[in-house]
Amino acid sequence: MTSYYDDLETRSADARAAALASSLPQQIAHAQGLPGYAAALDGIDASAVCDLASLATLPVLRKSALASAQSGDAPFGGYAAKPAHGFAHVFQSPGPIYEPGGGGHDWWRLGRFLHACGIGQGDIVQNCFGYHLTPAGMIFENGARAVGASVLPAGTGQTELQARAAHDVAVTAYAGTPDYLKLIVEKAEALGLPLKIAKAAVSGGALFPSLRGWYADRGIACRQCYATADLGMIAYESPAMEGMIVDEQVIVEIVTPGTGDPVAPGEVGEVVVTTLNPDYPLIRFATGDLSAVMPGESSCGRTNLRIKGWMGRADQTAKIKGMFVRPEQVAALVARHAEIDRARVIASRDGEMDVMTVRIETASEDPAPYAASIAELLKLKGIVELVKPGALPRDGVVIEDTRVYD
């Protein structure tokens, strides 16, 4: 097995930028021809959208808008380039939201991740992602076939049968959530069934260091990727295990939650992804997940952008005094006053009463104008605390809920 899936992984920064300058305008122009983007991309000069800076001027597409569009134009809301019968699969995710699926080579691009896990020809992958309605099972199967591995389509549940199958078939690799493999291994050990699983490709949950260590103690190298039903693979771990390397067919931005404004390098923010998949060209799609860009390149030799992986959810909506307060409202407060660098809402309790405190990062010393804007934009009165520029944490949190519900 070669070190890299293809030559794209080790491109120079100049070569990657040149490729983006060519492919991104084409994808924007392609999306402009789809009904879903009729309003959002109207009047945009696609040829001018050729880098991250110009991409950041386009509106963000949120999952709520996708669901709303699908309710009026089933099943894909006008965002797919083909009708439903033009795809190999149609999937349903919670919401419900419907996603297309292609049967072509590495359509979701998971092959790149599995190759980085050392999975390929000669491997049998026990795929424990669900195959029923949701796409994860087919996403990983498509990737396994792309690298030449065979697949045991195990799905979820029936742990004893899974353990026996892993033993009988001599499975060498696992695909599934991080914790389920542990149940299979423990069941096999209880039944006296030796396993040959030495590689694990996981997603869909937290891979804690202690769990990764538990697998390593049993000779299983476990790596994780960040993928979604809508976008396919976004980023993945390499053998270096130094953060997650962004896939070669997506563009990742980290923005302030509730806005489309990029954060400073290294700051935590919401992951916004543009995919270069022409079948389903999602442009600036907000994942709702938090992450941050890592400096430099991976020691494994792959040169693309790295992110820290999943760091929480960006949807920090909180109900305070019976009213919902959303990140978009906090962003509107910051936008209204040029002298505000950033703001943070803290929800707390005083006895049985909710309290809203708004900490504002500014050089100003007069809280009065901000109190009026808070009442108007957040629809609630709150305590205003002015803090010096740079005083608020750069952790992506816009609304912090400190209330204890026990």
Side-chain angles (χ1 to χ4, degrees), residues 46 58 80 89 109 206 286 291 297 320 326 336 354 387 400 404:
L58 303 184
H89 303 95
R109 308 175 311 283
S291 192
E297 297 175 357
I320 308 172
R326 296 178 169 83
R336 173 169 290 191
D354 285 344
V387 299
E400 179 182 359
V404 177

Side-chain angles (χ1 to χ4, degrees), residues 121-137:
Q121 291 185 358
D123 280 308
I124 301 175
V125 181
Q126 186 155 338
N127 186 4
C128 295
F129 282 107
Y131 280 80
H132 178 231
L133 284 179
T134 56

Side-chain angles (χ1 to χ4, degrees), residues 81-306:
K82 304 175 185 178
H85 61 75
F87 289 96
H89 303 95
V90 177
F91 298 101
Q92 183 196 76
S93 292
I97 289 181
Y98 295 93
E99 301 99 6
H105 176 79
D106 210 9
W107 195 83
W108 289 277
R109 308 175 311 283
L110 262 290
R112 188 177 302 282
F113 167 52
L114 297 181
H115 182 88
C117 292
I119 297 172
Q121 291 185 358
D123 280 308
I124 301 175
V125 181
Q126 186 155 338
N127 186 4
C128 295
F129 282 107
Y131 280 80
H132 178 231
L133 284 179
T134 56
M138 198 59 66
I139 287 174
F140 273 77
E141 172 154 332
N142 185 262
R145 301 302 301 130
V147 296
S150 298
V151 177
L152 175 65
T156 59
Q158 297 182 302
T159 305
E160 182 171 333
L161 287 178
Q162 297 246 17
R164 290 190 179 279
H167 167 76
D168 293 345
V169 179
V171 165
T172 58
Y174 163 88
T177 56
D179 53 354
Y180 188 54
L181 174 59
K182 184 173 185 288
L183 297 181
I184 293 175
V185 172
E186 289 176 334
K187 179 61 70 173
E189 290 175 349
L191 296 172
L193 300 172
L195 301 182
K196 294 185 177 180
I197 296 175
K199 309 160 191 174
V202 304
S203 190
L207 174 57
F208 296 103
S210 58
L211 182 58
R212 198 199 295 263
W214 191 92
Y215 292 138
D217 290 343
R218 286 155 179 79
I220 301 172
C222 183
R223 296 179 188 136
Q224 62 185 326
C225 79
Y226 171 30
T228 72
D230 323 89
L231 298 159
M233 190 174 70
I234 298 171
Y236 63 102
E237 283 187 327
S238 75
M241 291 193 293
E242 299 168 345
M244 289 189 171
I245 302 166
V246 171
D247 180 58
E248 299 295 334
Q249 294 300 312
V250 298
I251 304 160
V252 168
E253 302 171 83
I254 307 295
V255 308
T256 301
T259 78
D261 302 328
V263 302
E267 288 189 13
V268 177
E270 183 177 11
V271 179
V272 168
V273 180
T274 296
T275 173
L276 298 178
N277 180 354
D279 291 341
Y280 198 36
L282 297 177
I283 308 298
R284 301 204 80 203
F285 186 72
T287 65
D289 296 323
L290 293 175
S291 192
V293 170
M294 298 177 65
E297 297 175 357
S298 172
S299 63
C300 70
R302 293 170 175 84
T303 56
N304 207 356
L305 182 77
R306 293 181 301 159

